[in-house]
């Protein structure tokens, strides 16, 4: 098991012990980090480590990527926002099925954990998404192929690049917009309507926060410990695409397409506050129960911070 997984597992076990002493429902764990940092790999390691002895817990892991809108719906979003380059394909808030995610999380929250008294078994299906479909544009897997989860469940892990992030208040958004070049906005990101294109994404993120965040009382953020955090995202995302294409026979995006793909995400890193950022007028259910793990460019942990 990697050092990164070991650190994360220790945090989750501490939070689960406290949670299960007073709740019969699963502990919901948010996992956030930029593209390519290894969230999916880490989530798999967490499931493997938590389900084996001596812990032997029932764990379900899902990704915000599995909650993307179906291909046809994504195409419609792009056409309806033809002047907003940030919505020309999956990626940013506004391209996920918020209602579907809320339904899945609510169903999972009603399941009992293994420390509860015996109850009627509950089941639900977890959405799945094929990123390689439609030449890398992606599409939702047919519902009949979604994996089935059965209670009891101890821990739910949801990972995603923007999961847990917070939209900025209007004044701070404007301030960052005026400093966007200084903050790392590439010149290749074209915003036809200027800051209004960012506001559309920010408003969508508010929907995620209202519908999803209330379930999560534990959080883990993995963050690059680099002065140039945005450049390393391009490096990691290219590595990720190459690995996927090597495994599936070459289906996916070209390097140039990956760079354009990441370009669309960069405003999100600039204009959303991280899950560990405390706003003056807002709080999150995971306040005081979060762990930020700093990693180097090889994804090795180099520091931790509580939040």
């Amino acid at each position: 098991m990697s050092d990164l997984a070991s650190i994360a597992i220790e945090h989750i076990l501490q939070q689960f012990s406290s949670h299960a002493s007073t709740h019969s429902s699963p502990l919901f764990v948010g996992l956030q980090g930029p593209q390519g940092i290894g969230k999916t790999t880490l989530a798999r390691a967490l499931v493997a480590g938590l389900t084996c002895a001596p812990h032997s817990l029932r764990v379900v892991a899902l990704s915000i990527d599995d909650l993307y809108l179906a291909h046809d719906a994504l195409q419609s979003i792009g056409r309806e926002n033809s002047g907003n380059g940030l919505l020309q394909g999956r990626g940013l808030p506004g391209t996920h099925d918020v209602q579907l995610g809320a339904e899945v999380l609510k169903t999972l929250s009603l399941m009992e954990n293994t420390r509860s008294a015996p109850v009627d078994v509950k089941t639900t299906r977890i959405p799945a998404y094929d990123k390689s479909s439609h030449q890398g544009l992606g599409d939702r897997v047919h519902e009949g192929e979604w994996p089935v989860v059965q209670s009891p469940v101890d821990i739910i892990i949801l990972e995603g690049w923007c999961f847990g992030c917070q939209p900025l208040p209007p004044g701070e958004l404007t301030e960052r917009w005026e400093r966007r070049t200084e903050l790392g906005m590439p010149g290749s990101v074209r915003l036809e309507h200027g800051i209004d294109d960012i506001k559309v994404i920010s408003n969508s993120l508010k929907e995620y926060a209202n519908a999803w965040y209330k379930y999560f009382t534990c959080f883990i953020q993995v963050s690059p410990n680099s002065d140039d955090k945005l450049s390393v995202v391009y490096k990691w995302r290219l590595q990720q695409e190459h690995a996927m294409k090597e495994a599936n026979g070459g289906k996916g995006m070209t390097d140039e397409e990956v760079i354009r793909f990441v370009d669309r995400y960069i405003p999100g890193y600039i204009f959303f506050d991280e899950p560990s950022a405390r706003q003056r007028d807002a709080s999150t259910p995971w306040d005081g129960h979060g762990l930020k793990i700093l990693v180097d460019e090889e994804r090795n942990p180099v520091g931790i911070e509580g939040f």
Side-chain angles (χ1 to χ4, degrees):
M1 184 184 302
S2 70
D3 291 341
L4 180 60
S6 296
I7 294 169
I9 285 174
E10 181 180 357
H11 178 67
I12 292 172
L13 287 173
Q14 290 174 348
Q15 297 300 314
F16 177 70
S17 178
S18 175
H19 173 87
S21 66
T22 55
H23 296 77
S24 61
S25 58
L27 172 71
F28 281 75
V29 180
L31 174 60
Q32 187 271 337
Q35 297 156 282
I37 202 168
K39 296 182 298 299
T40 301
T41 299
L42 175 57
R44 290 174 182 154
L46 297 180
V47 172
L50 291 166
T51 56
C52 71
H55 313 303
S56 303
L57 298 171
R58 295 286 301 273
V59 184
V60 175
L62 59 155
S63 171
I64 194 175
D65 292 356
D66 291 320
L67 297 173
Y68 281 128
L69 292 163
H71 176 72
D72 289 347
L74 282 175
Q75 295 301 299
S76 294
I77 291 290
R79 289 192 296 270
E80 292 166 6
N81 297 271
S82 59
N84 190 340
L86 303 179
L87 289 172
Q88 303 309 305
R90 72 179 195 267
L92 275 80
T95 63
H96 298 86
D97 192 328
V98 177
Q99 181 178 350
L100 174 63
E103 291 171 355
V104 171
L105 294 175
K106 181 178 180 179
T107 302
L108 290 171
S109 74
L110 297 175
M111 291 186 171
E112 286 78 18
N113 60 45
T114 55
R115 302 190 185 186
S116 304
V119 293
D120 293 337
V121 172
K122 299 182 179 72
T123 63
T124 191
R125 289 186 177 274
I126 303 298
Y129 203 87
D130 180 3
K131 293 181 180 179
S132 66
S133 181
H134 298 281
Q135 292 75 51
L137 296 177
D139 201 359
R140 186 177 294 166
V141 174
H142 187 274
E143 186 172 350
E145 301 176 40
W146 295 0
V148 176
V149 172
Q150 177 178 299
S151 61
V153 176
D154 294 304
I155 297 170
I156 312 294
I157 300 171
L158 176 57
E159 57 95 350
W161 79 273
C162 65
F163 184 70
C165 293
Q166 306 285 340
L168 290 176
E172 292 184 39
L173 191 153
T174 299
E175 188 271 336
R176 289 194 193 181
W177 171 258
E178 293 171 350
R179 297 173 53 233
R180 61 191 181 279
T181 302
E182 173 190 343
L183 294 172
M185 178 87 84
S188 52
V189 177
R190 304 293 182 182
L191 300 175
E192 184 174 320
H193 307 111
I195 193 173
D196 288 339
D197 286 346
I198 302 292
K199 289 178 179 178
V200 171
I201 307 301
S202 184
N203 287 335
S204 293
L205 186 59
K206 291 179 184 177
E207 297 179 15
Y208 294 34
N210 291 335
W212 296 351
Y213 293 2
K214 59 187 175 184
Y215 297 102
F216 292 82
T217 56
C218 175
F219 214 100
I220 296 171
Q221 179 185 4
V222 186
S223 180
N225 185 38
S226 169
D227 292 335
D228 192 359
K229 295 183 179 181
L230 298 183
S231 291
V232 77
V233 170
Y234 286 93
K235 172 184 174 180
W236 284 339
R237 186 59 184 82
L238 281 166
Q239 291 174 346
Q240 188 180 58
E241 193 75 10
H242 291 170
M244 183 187 76
K245 290 168 68 175
E246 188 173 327
N248 69 16
K251 294 187 296 181
M253 294 182 280
T254 65
D255 286 2
E256 292 75 17
E257 288 170 335
V258 170
I259 292 171
R260 291 196 297 271
F261 181 73
V262 176
D263 279 348
R264 287 206 316 274
Y265 287 75
I266 296 302
Y269 298 120
I270 294 173
F271 294 104
F272 305 153
D273 265 353
E274 296 181 342
S276 56
R278 290 176 177 268
Q279 295 184 14
R280 293 184 300 273
D281 56 351
S283 61
T284 60
W286 55 81
D287 282 351
H289 305 280
L291 184 71
K292 184 174 185 177
I293 306 174
L294 301 170
V295 300
D296 61 21
E297 289 198 20
E298 303 305 317
R299 305 177 182 84
N300 299 309
V302 293
I304 58 174
E305 303 171 1
F307 61 89

